[in-house]
Amino acid sequence: MRTLDWITQVLEVVVALAAAPAFLGWLNQCRAWLQNRSAPSLWLPYRNLHKLFHKDAVLADNASPLFRIAPYIVFGAMVLAAGIIPSMGTRLPLVVSADAIALVGLFAAARVFMSLAAMDVGTAFGTLGARREMMVGFLAEPALLMVIFVASLISSSTALPAITENLASGRIGLSPGLAFSAVAFILVLLAENARIPVDNPATHLELTMIHEAMVLEYSARHLALMEWAAQLKLFNYVCIGFALFLPWGVARAHIGPVGLLVAVPALAVKLALAGAGLALIETVSAKMRVMRIPEFLATAFLFAVLGLLVHVLLGA
Amino acid sequence: MITISPTLLTGCVALLCGWVVVGLAGLLRPGSLRFAGRTLFPLGALLGLALALLAGASLLGGGTERLILPVGLPDLPMHLRLDPLSSLFLVLLGASSFGISVFAGGYFRQGEGALPGLLCLQYHLFLASMGAVLLADDAYGFLVAWEVMALSSYFLVTTQHRIPEIRRAGFLYLLMAHVGAICLLLCFGVLQGGSWLFTFDAMRAAHLSPGWAAAAFLLALIGFGAKAGLVPVHVWLPEAHPAAPSPVSALMSGVMLKTAVYGMLRVGLDLLGRPAWWWGLAPLILGLLSIFYGVLFAAVQTDMKRLLAYSSIENIGVVFTGIGLTIVFEGSGLETVAALALLATLYHCLNHSFMKSLLFLGTGSVLHATGERNLGRLGGLIHRMPWVAWLTLVGTLAIAGLPPLNGFVSEWLLLQSFLFADHLPHAFVNLLIPMGMALVVLGAALAGYVMVKFYGVIFLGQPREASLDRAHDCGWLERIGLLWLALGCLALGLFPLQVIRVLGAVTGQLIGATVPQASSHWWLLAPVPGRPVSYGPLVFLTATLAVVFLTVLAVRLTYHQRVRRAPAWDCGFGGLTPRMQDTAEGFGQPIRHLFQSFFEIERELPAPADRAPRYRIAIRERIWRLAYEPLSNAVERLANVAARVQQGRISVYLFYGFATLIVLLAVALMS
């Protein structure tokens, strides 16, 4: 069983690395179809990464070493996160060293490094992006933690695989506490991944952007890593959503090698549906003004706290 | 309890005396900076290290030692005791003071306020008195040491006494210290419980009625809270910390606040015996309030040391939240969970003493290199002062609570103990505690915001003033001090299991329970009773580093590593200047905007046609206007009434004496 665990572990990371750009491609395709545009290729994100890796890196004159190592750290954090989230199997050797709180800490570390790097060159846009990113983060991060805590209280564990195991084993439907936190989670997902009501991934209008403003100074391989890390982050968030709210099809401890064979197509189907759903949300909503974002996220935070209170009140 | 040979305790006492001697030696050549800086401060640092080692040995042994010193008033010898709780805080004192003292050796400059020799005396007296507070085993000794600590630190705060603001800050500090001390005096008065014996042993044995016990607890909370900087008795902290020289700020924030935590634990969990669960609600609620209040005000500060001072309020809030949670759990009969919460509390004390000292010392180096405390005039220092910048980065990431550094460990432990709230048998508290958890989490996330602001504005970006080009890196003594504290942050972050094993002696002493270790691996922390939860920072770090290394390798091998330098991208407009970066005000603007009602904001905006536009914004705490100013006015009115009695003529005073005598005689005759 040990070898199978390690196979699952490696498979999870490799699939996340490989599928993250495709998931973004699929999301963009769905969005294009819904908006009656002709869709870009599913492989466009890969070609983009390939192109960026080939280019010469241009660094600003006063960029410090922090600016150069930040993309690697952000990327490393996202890859590690992919190894912690039970997207296909729950027996992951890495998970003993990082539970859900550590996962949120990992996301926070990536965000802090990204913001610091954005402030490093010292242009108006970089600092603006960093400030806005931290503004999004300080509300989104606790909301995500509260969402996870609802599931943790239900399962008496903060380890994600244990939560998934527990939620997948039997009882029908979502508990009321989890239903509230599911709403909160979707709002957090949109905000944390710079999706439409909060940030426009397609914009280059400086005054409205967040993520793009932060990576404005990056080029070539550094930019490629930042972009890939962003795609991984979206993929990871969606997988956290699956682990908490749609834990079906994941290979559980007692199932064995067959489980993994089911898990891969199950993940593909879930991702396809999630991509289409996200595209729908992005199509029917409009970008908010920046100062409205805290209200949006405060709603998410309140929903998550409400979920926790409902859970405690109903005494699950 | 077993009394092992009293060598460790006598050793500790000898080291404290050594500090006093080192301090007095400063008076031999009071004007010589070289003598104080190069000889005495490093010597004091070594004594600190020795103290940490001795206390550490006592902590590992887990025993208790007592000693009665025939000093002080006749028939009132000084009782001393070294048990796991005091050993732990002595380790904290010794280990962080080592880094701070080494740094201080290179820090003080000629012509800054007080003479170096005098400074050396006050500094080491401050250290020794903190040690004495931790060792005292009777109320007299405790309060004497407590007062020496307050006074020596007062003189240190007012080192630059020629500046009126600093004198004012010092006065406020002294005032609040004494309000706290009065509460402690009353608290010990209640604790003796009619026996009129003021040794701690007598207090442990005293049986208090529930009402008196609660009163003693409340008095201790106010008294120690005022020293620790708990909201609403925190007002001295953001004034005194920035006023003091940086090593002193580090010592006050990193160590002195912890002596107050020690006192709270000593009274609340040791002297008072088994607490009632509802006592815990007071520190819990005040702690949560402090977290939120401290971090919000930290986010809008423009002075780097004030920012850190408010961040200390937040961290003390975390510690008191932990204490509250411990008491709630212990009073409800959940001992192992209480031990977990206490573990988080103690861990956070250790963490905070290292990371906050590190940050304060970092700001000290910046202050010396640039002469600026205002964040709006700094920037880009990572190029000029790489040592300070990279070592401070460790403290910044640690205090932001990011894994795998130490701040995360205590946060993790605290959250894990919060997650047992649904086991509590009280329906209302069951609801309250998840709200508390939400506040803790929000505070932690806001701390990240604050720290990005702190680090980004000081060290990153472009220099906001031309004079910053002349900034220089710190000297080698300062580097050693910073390095020691940064390594402490790393070690506490990477080896939590070993730390927790050592802390087990303290939880065993105070709660009577230790947390179980569910895992058999030395690198895996699994302290949560009955839950399959674990955290392995070493694996965490190794995995991240491995991914980073493999990525670097893959990118270099598959592609190339060409780099070109070019001016920063100006979006085609041209003419970007360093003044266009976010200032500290700018970076805190979202917080100021969102939580407007918390702040008292005074704004001066330029008119559109202004030739020399000026933008000024001042933020004050509402608590001054709401509570402290009415209070001080009332005191002043009362004093004016009392002043009427004082006529200044000797005949009137003679009459007062005579009248008193008559009244006393009358009382004596009647009874």
Side-chain angles (χ1 to χ4, degrees), chain B residues 152-160 166 169-170 173 240 243-245 248 252:
Chain B
S152 52
S153 54
Y154 164 75
F155 287 114
L156 284 169
V157 167
T158 52
T159 301
Q160 290 171 313
I166 288 184
Y173 169 53
V248 178
M252 286 175 75

Side-chain angles (χ1 to χ4, degrees), chain B residues 486-521:
Chain B
L487 287 178
C489 285
L490 264 179
L492 283 170
L494 291 181
F495 303 101
L497 185 59
Q498 286 66 23
V499 181
I500 279 178
R501 286 229 175 95
V502 176
L503 294 182
V506 184
T507 60
Q509 183 204 351
L510 293 182
I511 310 267
T514 48
V515 292
Q517 171 63 20
S519 125
S520 53
H521 304 293

Side-chain angles (χ1 to χ4, degrees), chain B residues 17-198:
Chain B
C17 296
W19 265 337
V20 177
V21 171
V22 168
L24 288 172
L27 294 182
L28 292 178
R29 293 164 69 187
S32 163
L33 187 70
R34 226 188 134 65
F35 179 57
R38 292 287 183 271
T39 315
L40 294 179
F41 274 101
L43 201 63
L46 288 179
L47 290 178
L49 196 60
L51 182 69
L53 290 175
L54 276 189
S58 151
L59 193 57
L60 286 176
T64 301
E65 295 178 19
R66 288 152 204 279
L67 191 67
I68 298 178
L69 281 186
V71 292
L73 295 173
D75 287 339
L76 276 178
M78 195 169 179
H79 295 72
L80 297 175
R81 183 170 126 128
L82 185 69
D83 59 5
L85 180 63
S86 43
S87 312
L88 171 69
F89 281 87
L90 281 173
V91 170
L92 185 154
L93 166 68
S96 26
S97 76
F98 173 72
I100 299 170
S101 295
V102 170
F103 182 93
Y107 179 80
F108 289 111
R109 302 283 198 274
Q110 204 73 49
E112 282 188 356
L115 287 174
L118 209 55
L119 213 69
C120 175
L121 173 65
Q122 291 157 0
Y123 181 92
H124 287 101
L125 216 53
F126 184 36
L127 285 178
S129 61
M130 286 195 283
V133 164
L134 301 176
L135 284 176
D137 197 30
D138 61 316
Y140 290 116
F142 186 90
L143 284 175
V144 168
W146 189 260
E147 278 301 295
V148 175
M149 182 173 92
L151 290 177
S152 52
S153 54
Y154 164 75
F155 287 114
L156 284 169
V157 167
T158 52
T159 301
Q160 290 171 313
H161 51 82
R162 292 203 173 77
I163 304 171
E165 286 91 48
I166 288 184
R167 282 203 302 274
R168 230 180 352 256
F171 174 72
L172 182 65
Y173 169 53
L174 201 62
L175 186 70
M176 290 305 286
H178 282 93
V179 170
I182 289 172
C183 289
L184 292 186
L185 202 67
L186 293 175
C187 168
F188 286 126
V190 175
L191 277 174
Q192 50 84 19
S195 68
W196 299 104
L197 290 173
F198 285 93

Side-chain angles (χ1 to χ4, degrees), chain A residues 49-50 52-69 72-77 79-80 84 94-106 108-113 115-117 119-125 127-128 130-132 134-139 141-143 145-146 149-150 152-153 155-159 162 206 216-217 220-222 225 291 294-295 301 305 308-313, chain B residues 382-383 390 393 396-397 400-403 408 411-412 415-416 418-423 427 430-432 434-435 437-439 441-442 444-446 448-453 455-457 459-464 523-525 530-537 539-541 543-544 547-548 551-552 555-556 558-571 573 576-578 580-582 586-591 593-595:
Chain A
L49 289 180
H50 186 64
L52 286 174
F53 273 121
H54 265 299
K55 288 193 166 186
D56 280 13
V58 183
L59 290 177
D61 286 328
N62 66 331
S64 73
L66 185 77
F67 185 79
R68 293 182 69 169
I69 56 173
Y72 293 97
I73 293 179
V74 173
F75 184 73
V79 173
L80 185 61
I84 300 170
L94 257 186
V95 157
V96 290
S97 59
D99 65 344
I101 303 177
L103 178 70
V104 177
L106 203 58
R111 176 186 11 258
V112 165
F113 268 99
S115 303
L116 287 178
M119 295 180 84
D120 185 56
V121 174
T123 58
F125 298 120
T127 46
L128 174 141
R131 162 169 31 115
R132 289 179 177 171
M134 291 316 286
M135 180 182 81
V136 170
F138 92 81
L139 278 165
E141 187 188 313
L145 260 182
M146 296 316 276
F149 285 158
V150 178
S152 311
L153 280 175
S155 327
S156 293
S157 172
T158 53
E206 297 86 355
L216 200 62
E217 278 300 322
R221 59 175 179 272
H222 301 131
L225 285 174
M291 285 320 289
E295 287 172 30
F301 186 53
V305 175
L308 201 64
L309 289 180
V310 166
H311 170 73
V312 177
L313 262 184
Chain B
I382 197 171
H383 300 286
W390 288 100
L393 181 64
T396 310
L397 297 177
L402 301 178
F408 180 77
E411 193 183 317
W412 189 83
L415 289 176
Q416 292 293 356
F418 259 115
L419 283 174
F420 278 93
D422 55 343
H423 287 38
N430 271 352
L431 279 185
L432 188 83
M435 310 282 275
M437 186 157 67
L439 267 182
V441 170
L442 189 62
L446 273 168
Y449 190 108
V450 171
M451 283 303 134
V452 167
K453 167 179 161 172
Y455 194 81
V457 174
F459 293 105
L460 303 178
Q462 300 174 33
R464 290 183 176 77
W523 43 265
L524 199 59
L525 177 67
R531 289 184 178 175
V533 177
S534 51
Y535 167 60
V539 182
F540 201 93
L541 182 67
T544 316
V547 174
V548 168
T551 316
V552 173
V555 170
R556 297 219 153 163
T558 326
Y559 297 99
H560 56 86
Q561 41 179 311
R562 285 194 293 274
V563 165
R564 214 146 44 79
R565 290 276 177 174
W569 171 234
D570 56 8
C571 293
F573 292 116
L576 285 187
T577 71
M580 293 176 185
Q581 301 171 91
D582 262 16
F587 207 86
Q589 187 265 349
I591 306 285
H593 188 82
L594 279 176
F595 298 98

Side-chain angles (χ1 to χ4, degrees), chain A residues 150-172:
Chain A
V150 178
S152 311
L153 280 175
I154 293 174
S155 327
S156 293
S157 172
T158 53
L160 271 177
I163 294 173
T164 308
E165 288 256 351
N166 183 40
L167 294 179
S169 63
R171 276 167 297 161
I172 6 82

